[in-house]
Amino acid sequence: MTISKIAVAMFSVADQDAAVAYYTGTLGWEVRSDVSFGEGDQAGRWVEVAPPGSDARLALNPPMNGEPGGGAIGVETPDVDATRAVLEAAGATLGEPMGGDGTVPRMFSVTDPDGNWIWVVQER
């Protein structure tokens, strides 16, 4: 089997509407998909968000078994410090910058309201 790229990462969230509001309002991402599927007890909603201009997509799904949160993804940026400043001004919950010592790229984390982590990593 050959896999050419990751199609979409998935986070479990307690409330899809609240998660969409956070990712679009606080982080400045855009909605790429928001569709209903299935019927009756099996009805669901598929929601994807993404950083503008990115091929990466993040599906925001209700928890399947248990509590939301606990997921992690990484996204790259050409300027970690500028991105951090924008997210800090928007009120995002940020971890301290780390790395950048030549062995590990400079990065920091963003924690969403459901406890999922986005690692913002300096492009190499």
Side-chain angles (χ1 to χ4, degrees):
M1 171 171 51
T2 302
I3 298 174
S4 62
K5 68 178 182 175
I6 295 172
V8 63
M10 295 182 225
F11 277 178
S12 64
V13 298
D15 179 317
Q16 286 175 304
D17 289 325
V20 168
Y22 173 79
Y23 280 89
T24 59
T26 302
L27 300 187
W29 292 19
E30 57 193 24
V31 174
R32 295 282 177 89
S33 178
D34 189 347
V35 295
S36 298
F37 63 90
E39 297 178 11
D41 293 342
Q42 301 300 313
R45 178 180 174 202
W46 184 259
V47 180
E48 292 178 0
V49 294
S54 173
D55 289 336
R57 297 180 323 272
L58 176 61
L60 303 172
N61 302 315
M64 290 190 215
N65 296 312
E67 299 296 315
I73 62 167
V75 296
E76 290 185 324
T77 182
D79 189 336
V80 164
D81 296 324
T83 301
R84 181 175 168 71
V86 168
L87 294 175
E88 186 172 43
T93 303
L94 307 178
E96 291 300 316
M98 57 193 291
D101 59 5
T103 58
V104 176
R106 186 162 169 77
M107 67 182 87
F108 67 93
S109 64
V110 179
T111 306
D112 80 4
D114 290 296
N116 295 295
W117 296 282
I118 301 164
W119 286 93
V120 180
V121 181
Q122 179 72 42
E123 289 179 355
R124 290 188 181 225

